[in-house]
Amino acid sequence: MKFFGYVFGLALLSAQANAITPPAGAESLAACSSVVVRKEVRSLSTSEWNAYKAAAHAAYNDRWIDWFGYLHDRIAMTIHGNSMFFVYHRALTRDYEKILRGYDPSVAVPYWNAMVDYQHPEQSPLFSADNLGGNGNGNGCVADGMPGSWMMNYPDPHCLCRKYSSGTTMPAWHSPEFITHVMQSSTTYAQLRAGVENSIHGAVHLALGGDMDTMHSPLDPIFWVHHANIDRLYAQWQAVSPDDRTYMIDGDGPNNVAADVNMLLTGTSKPAYTVMRLGYGDMCYTYDTIQAANGNADALSKRNTRKCIKRPNQATEAIKKLPPQVLQQFYPSFSNGTVNPLENEMTSITPNTPIGSNGTYTAPKPNEAMRGKMPVPMKLTDAWVKMQNACVEEVRDIESRAANMVEALNKANYLSPYLY
Ligand SMILES: [Cu+2]
């Protein structure tokens, strides 16, 4: 066991020392003169949240939302279940952000940290009538919140539709603990992509149902705040080790051809490398988490010069008290003491903090009655796996890792601070 740990440690060190030379063409991408900062929905001020909703609604009125639904649907089979996933959805979300900024130049796409709402997703403040609305009515039509009266035109005229997968509730999905595991244990792009796409990404789409459970899912405003969160995980993972991860891409691209930095984002003439470095070219945005860790908005242009800022909080302390063998199995960075805040999703966001409350949340309060009772996250259905054109073994592997982690943590009598 000791020997294994030693060899694994060496492998980690050598992986980080392997700097990847930026691809030809990347140097000609200009540094952004300014970057916008994407924040968690609960960290926005009330006026920032209102401005975002107004811009999103204006884009709907001008049929941009139908357009994005069409765009995504048209090429769906090439942008999921392979390495195109992160880079394509990064470009798509940035295109949407640019459309919104045409209505209000102050707007950035907020992200929704769906993980902290994992126990009772339907109780997330995001789904309230003040925000993005809740479950569809008897006809599946979303009848409250910002998209409460939305009528869509693609693929045919219909009301915006949601059908929670358990009726009036949604099953528990993937926790901050599981995504922290994925962040710390993925040393390649392909591992991270498989771990994120087949867990929280798929679960949120499937659990919300309706239009979110189709390939024209960009129709639902949840899509954008969800995908900004998925992109944040990719951006944070890159920022943990920018020298080797900024331009790292491996695994399969579409059509079982090996992915590389020069592959064209489906349906465009843009090579993947044009979107891989935040703060350059068209990617003029960053995330509040990256900014906090680096003390600098231009995070990815900084090359290992920053100091890691420690964010000690109750949530992290609880997980660090797990038995050493559990830590070693699921949390290599916590285990060997090299943890970077960017691969620690144990945030201090409280699930029921209202949206647009300026980040004035208090640290999550663990409920003793939930000790050793983390729920196993929902599974992705065969129909979903087929629609995603995903590799079944890959999906089931992530599923069993999630179940194993929950089992190990419960056995260790761990208390997840996000359970209430
Ligand atoms: Cu997609």
Side-chain angles (χ1 to χ4, degrees), residues 331-359:
Y331 304 103
S333 306
F334 285 143
S335 178
N336 65 25
T338 59
V339 69
N340 182 307
L342 295 170
E343 50 184 7
N344 179 9
E345 281 297 303
M346 302 300 292
T347 77
S348 53
I349 301 170
T350 316
N352 43 25
T353 302
I355 306 293
S357 60
N358 229 348

Side-chain angles (χ1 to χ4, degrees), residues 39 43-53 106-108 110 358:
K39 301 180 196 171
S43 293
L44 299 172
S45 68
T46 309
S47 62
E48 283 171 330
W49 179 232
N50 287 339
Y52 173 74
K53 285 189 290 181
S106 77
V107 161
N358 229 348

Side-chain angles (χ1 to χ4, degrees), residues 78-364:
T78 67
I79 58 175
H80 304 107
N82 70 70
S83 294
M84 188 65 85
F85 177 74
F86 278 139
V87 284
Y88 182 85
H89 288 82
R90 169 172 286 180
L92 186 73
T93 306
R94 178 61 182 160
D95 283 348
Y96 167 77
E97 186 169 67
K98 286 165 72 183
I99 295 295
L100 297 202
R101 288 171 61 77
Y103 295 100
D104 181 344
S106 77
V107 161
V109 179
Y111 64 88
W112 167 44
N113 187 330
M115 287 85 78
V116 305
D117 295 302
Y118 82 99
Q119 183 190 14
H120 298 298
E122 71 284 350
Q123 292 178 23
S124 172
L126 191 65
F127 305 128
S128 80
D130 295 333
N131 300 316
L132 300 188
N135 203 4
N137 61 21
N139 300 319
C141 298
V142 176
D144 64 347
M146 186 264 278
S149 58
W150 282 19
M151 289 299 298
M152 315 312 298
N153 290 311
Y154 184 83
D156 41 45
H158 69 287
C159 61
L160 181 69
C161 178
R162 277 183 209 150
K163 286 180 181 166
Y164 291 176
S165 67
S166 303
T168 55
T169 62
M170 289 181 257
W173 54 47
H174 301 77
S175 59
E177 286 88 344
F178 183 68
I179 299 302
T180 299
H181 158 66
V182 170
M183 296 290 276
Q184 294 191 9
S185 61
S186 301
T187 53
T188 68
Y189 176 103
Q191 286 169 350
L192 183 79
R193 198 276 308 157
V196 172
E197 185 182 3
N198 298 315
S199 64
I200 191 68
H201 164 258
V204 167
H205 276 280
L206 197 55
L208 275 149
D211 285 321
M212 276 293 271
D213 185 16
T214 69
M215 280 304 177
H216 50 265
S217 47
L219 297 191
D220 193 322
I222 302 291
F223 176 95
W224 302 104
V225 293
H226 176 44
H227 269 279
N229 190 44
I230 300 303
D231 182 60
R232 174 182 67 86
L233 297 173
Y234 171 38
Q236 285 182 201
W237 181 85
Q238 289 182 297
V240 166
S241 185
D243 279 350
D244 58 323
R245 291 182 180 175
T246 300
Y247 291 111
M248 184 192 287
I249 194 161
D250 44 45
D252 275 354
N255 309 314
N256 302 321
V257 175
D260 71 71
V261 290
N262 295 308
M263 70 181 182
L264 298 183
L265 301 176
T266 310
T268 78
S269 53
K270 283 187 220 159
Y273 72 77
T274 59
V275 303
M276 294 176 80
R277 190 182 190 188
L278 295 192
Y280 282 78
D282 230 5
M283 300 298 112
C284 298
Y285 70 90
T286 187
Y287 290 94
D288 56 358
T289 48
I290 294 179
Q291 212 176 31
N294 291 356
N296 185 326
D298 196 8
L300 294 183
S301 69
K302 287 233 153 197
R303 306 197 141 244
N304 282 346
T305 53
R306 68 192 154 65
K307 266 180 143 176
C308 296
I309 296 167
K310 287 199 171 131
R311 284 188 298 176
N313 63 41
Q314 215 176 2
T316 306
E317 293 316 305
I319 211 165
K320 280 186 179 167
K321 284 185 191 132
L322 285 166
Q325 67 275 21
V326 178
L327 271 187
Q328 196 178 4
Q329 184 180 0
F330 295 105
Y331 304 103
S333 306
F334 285 143
S335 178
N336 65 25
T338 59
V339 69
N340 182 307
L342 295 170
E343 50 184 7
N344 179 9
E345 281 297 303
M346 302 300 292
T347 77
S348 53
I349 301 170
T350 316
N352 43 25
T353 302
I355 306 293
S357 60
N358 229 348
T360 50
Y361 33 75
T362 47

